[in-house]
Amino acid sequence: MPDFDLAVIGAGAAGLSVTAVAAQLGIRVALIERDRMGGDCLNFGCVPSKALLAASHAAQAARGAARFGLHLPEPDIDWAAVHTHVHGVIASIAPIDSEARFRALGATVLRGEAHFVAPDALTVDGRRLTARRIVIAAGSNAFIPPIPGLARVPYLTNTTIFDTPDRPDHLLILGGGPIGLEMADAFAGLGCRVSVVETATIAGKEDPELVAGLRDALSARDITLLEGAHVVAVESGPILRLDDGRTIAGSHLLVAVGRRPNLDAFDLPAGNVRASPAGIATDSGLRSLTNRRVYAVGDIADPRGIGPRAFTHVGSYHAGIVIRRALFRLPARLNYAALPRVTYTSPELAQAGMTEAEARAAGHDVRVLRWPMADNDRAVAERDTVGLVKLVVAGNRVLGAGIVAPNAGEMIGLWALAIAQRVKLSALASLIVPYPTRSEAGKRAAASFFAPSLFAPRTKSLVRWLTRLP
C-alpha cells in the first residue's frame, strides 16, 4: 500500500490549493516544500509587488492632488518604512499559507527537496515515500539571459528586489513585460529614476491600441521606455551597452525578461516524466503524457505544448482541474478562452480572451467596439480620463475584452464571465450598472453594437408610424 494517496511537490498557490482540498476530504496527502511556504506569489511576487505599488500609487495621488485644488508638498519617502510595510503585508498573509495551518488540515508537511526514484516514489531529505498520485507544482524562477558581462555584475530579480536596503537612484529594468512595467511604475512613484529596456515592445502580448494608452501614461511620469533596444553587453556600474552604440548607466539593475520552470532538481527521467524547457508535457487535463500517476500544475505545466501561463490565478484554476480529475475522477480539461490577465500599473491594463489581432488571425469576422474613458462621467469627475474599453466581437458574442483604466483589473471579471458563458451582447447592453462608475464604459461599448440599426432610417420610420397609433 502506498505511503500516501497524494504527494504534492511545491507549496505555492497551485500546490496549496490541491493540498487544502485533499486534506479536508480526508485524503492522505504529503506536501513537500524545499523553501518558503506560499511560494513566489506570497514571498516574491503578487503580494509584495502589489504592496509596493500601493505605496507608490499613494505618493502619485499626493502629487496629483492639485487637479482637485489640493496643494500638497512633495511626498517624503521613508524607504525603510516602505520596506516595513511591504514585509508586514507578507507577514499578515503568511499564516494562511503556513506549515501549521496545513498540518492542522491533516496534511503531512515535509521540508526538503523532492527527487523521483521511481514512477510512484520520491525521496525527500533521505526519506523514501510512495504515492498513488503525484502533483508537481514547483513553479518557476526568473530567466537570466546570456548577455555578455551580466553574470559579473550585481543584479536584482523578483526574489531580491523587495529587499533592496536603499532606494535606487536610477533603476535599470531589462524587460518590458508585466513584472518590468509594474516595478517601473512602483519605483518611479517612490522617487526613483527608471529606464525600461525592451527588445521588442512593452506589454508585447497585449493589444497594441491599449498598450499605447499605458505607454503614454508611463512616459508622462518620466519613465524612460526604450523599445526595440538590444542589449549586447553589461558592464560594471551597471551600464547597459546597446547594439546601436548607446550606453545607459544606472545605480541598480533589475532583470525581468521572463520566467522558466523549475525543472532541474527532480530527476524527472527517474519518474518517467517528460519535460522540455517550456515545462512538463501534459494533456489538456494536466496529466503527464508519460506517467499517468503524475500531474503538473501552475508555472511548471506545459499542457498540449502551448506553454505555461505564469499567473497565480491560473495555478488555482489548474488545481481545480486536478482535484476533479485525480480525486473525484471526473472529466475536466483546460479552457483558456476567457483567461483574464492584468498588469497592475497606473492605469491598469486588463485583458480577457482574444486580442483583436488574435481573433482576426483565427479567422473570425471581427467587429471592434470601443468606449473611451474621456466619455465616462466618473472618470471626468475624478479628472482621470486616460483609458479605453475595447471589445472584440463576432456575431452577437464577445471573443475578447481589453481595458486600460484605473482599476481595470476589478472590471475585467464581468467580461471574462461573458466570454466563458457566451453571454449575448444584448444582455450585456441591457445590464443595469450603478451610475457613475467606470463599469458603464463597458456597457456603453456593448450598446454601441446596436446603435447603427437602432438609429437607421427604417427604424426611425417605424417609430414615427408607431407614434401615430392611439
Side-chain angles (χ1 to χ4, degrees):
M1 184 175 182
D3 300 311
F4 295 95
D5 298 309
L6 184 68
V8 179
I9 304 173
L16 292 178
S17 296
V18 173
T19 303
V21 173
Q24 292 178 89
L25 288 172
I27 300 298
R28 297 175 304 143
V29 55
L31 174 62
I32 305 163
E33 175 54 54
R34 66 181 180 183
D35 196 0
R36 303 188 193 187
M37 296 288 290
D40 255 28
C41 180
L42 173 63
N43 298 290
F44 313 118
C46 312
V47 171
S49 65
K50 303 314 167 281
L52 190 69
L53 282 163
S56 173
H57 293 166
Q60 293 178 36
R63 295 187 188 99
R67 71 186 190 273
F68 303 119
L70 306 175
H71 300 284
L72 305 178
E74 172 66 20
D76 180 14
I77 309 297
D78 182 340
W79 191 254
V82 171
H83 182 274
T84 299
H85 152 67
V86 169
H87 287 272
V89 171
I90 295 172
S92 67
I93 297 175
I96 299 172
D97 295 348
S98 68
E99 182 175 335
R101 174 174 178 255
F102 280 82
R103 289 188 188 279
L105 290 176
T108 299
V109 180
L110 304 176
R111 305 310 295 266
E113 194 165 79
H115 300 269
F116 276 95
V117 291
D120 65 342
L122 304 166
T123 60
V124 181
D125 196 23
R127 172 181 173 178
R128 190 180 191 276
L129 61 92
T130 56
R132 296 183 190 278
R133 299 286 183 270
I134 298 172
V135 176
I136 304 176
S140 62
N141 57 68
F143 172 70
I144 307 303
I147 300 174
L150 178 58
R152 297 189 296 273
V153 174
Y155 60 82
L156 302 165
T157 67
N158 70 296
T159 61
T160 56
I161 187 71
F162 303 108
D163 287 323
T164 307
D166 302 308
R167 182 172 63 181
D169 176 57
H170 184 186
L171 178 63
L172 306 179
I173 300 177
L174 274 181
I179 295 174
L181 294 180
E182 288 180 10
M183 291 301 94
D185 187 25
F187 280 84
L190 294 170
C192 307
R193 291 174 59 204
V194 177
S195 297
V196 178
V197 181
E198 168 56 47
T199 302
T201 60
I202 63 167
K205 295 181 179 179
E206 308 304 334
D207 188 294
E209 185 177 1
L210 301 174
V211 173
L214 176 58
R215 181 184 292 110
D216 291 344
L218 296 177
S219 297
R221 294 202 290 277
D222 295 324
I223 296 173
T224 300
L225 301 173
L226 299 172
E227 300 178 81
H230 298 266
V231 178
V232 295
V234 181
E235 300 171 2
S236 181
I239 299 172
L240 304 181
R241 189 172 296 280
L242 306 184
D243 62 350
D244 60 6
R246 288 180 294 169
T247 59
I248 308 167
S251 61
H252 296 70
L253 173 62
L254 170 63
V255 179
V257 297
R259 309 285 296 173
R260 67 174 185 178
N262 290 321
L263 296 168
D264 299 336
F266 307 114
D267 296 326
L268 294 176
N272 193 29
V273 177
R274 192 176 81 202
S276 73
I280 293 172
T282 75
D283 61 17
S284 59
L286 300 168
R287 175 180 263 171
S288 165
L289 295 179
T290 51
N291 183 346
R292 292 179 59 80
R293 295 177 181 271
V294 172
Y295 293 82
V297 294
D299 294 4
I300 205 167
D302 180 20
R304 305 192 312 272
I306 62 175
R309 297 291 188 269
F311 305 108
T312 294
H313 52 282
V314 170
S316 299
Y317 171 55
H318 284 183
I321 290 174
V322 168
I323 289 165
R324 291 197 294 275
R325 288 199 69 186
L327 302 186
F328 288 96
R329 305 300 177 92
L330 296 172
R333 45 192 242 168
L334 292 173
N335 183 355
Y336 287 152
L339 176 65
R341 56 190 184 270
V342 184
T343 301
Y344 294 91
T345 45
S346 178
E348 293 179 353
L349 174 57
Q351 184 84 41
M354 294 182 176
T355 63
E356 179 184 354
E358 289 168 343
R360 294 190 188 282
H364 293 287
D365 183 12
V366 167
R367 182 172 170 186
V368 176
L369 310 175
R370 300 175 178 85
W371 198 267
M373 286 298 165
D375 292 339
N376 176 268
D377 291 355
R378 178 64 177 271
V380 172
E382 295 178 347
R383 296 194 178 278
D384 188 357
T385 57
V386 172
L388 173 73
V389 174
K390 180 176 181 178
L391 305 181
V392 179
V393 304
N396 196 23
R397 298 287 196 278
V398 181
L399 299 179
I403 306 171
V404 58
N407 300 314
E410 306 294 340
M411 299 163 61
I412 200 65
L414 167 66
W415 299 101
L417 178 64
I419 296 165
Q421 298 300 318
R422 296 177 55 81
V423 178
K424 291 183 178 181
L425 275 170
S426 54
L428 295 165
S430 62
L431 180 68
I432 301 174
V433 297
Y435 173 88
T437 61
R438 292 179 184 267
S439 296
E440 285 185 289
K443 172 185 167 136
R444 293 293 188 91
S448 71
F449 178 85
F450 303 98
S453 57
L454 177 63
F455 300 112
R458 183 177 178 180
T459 308
K460 292 179 181 179
S461 298
L462 174 63
V463 171
R464 285 196 298 269
W465 180 78
L466 291 172
T467 59
R468 297 192 186 102
L469 297 177

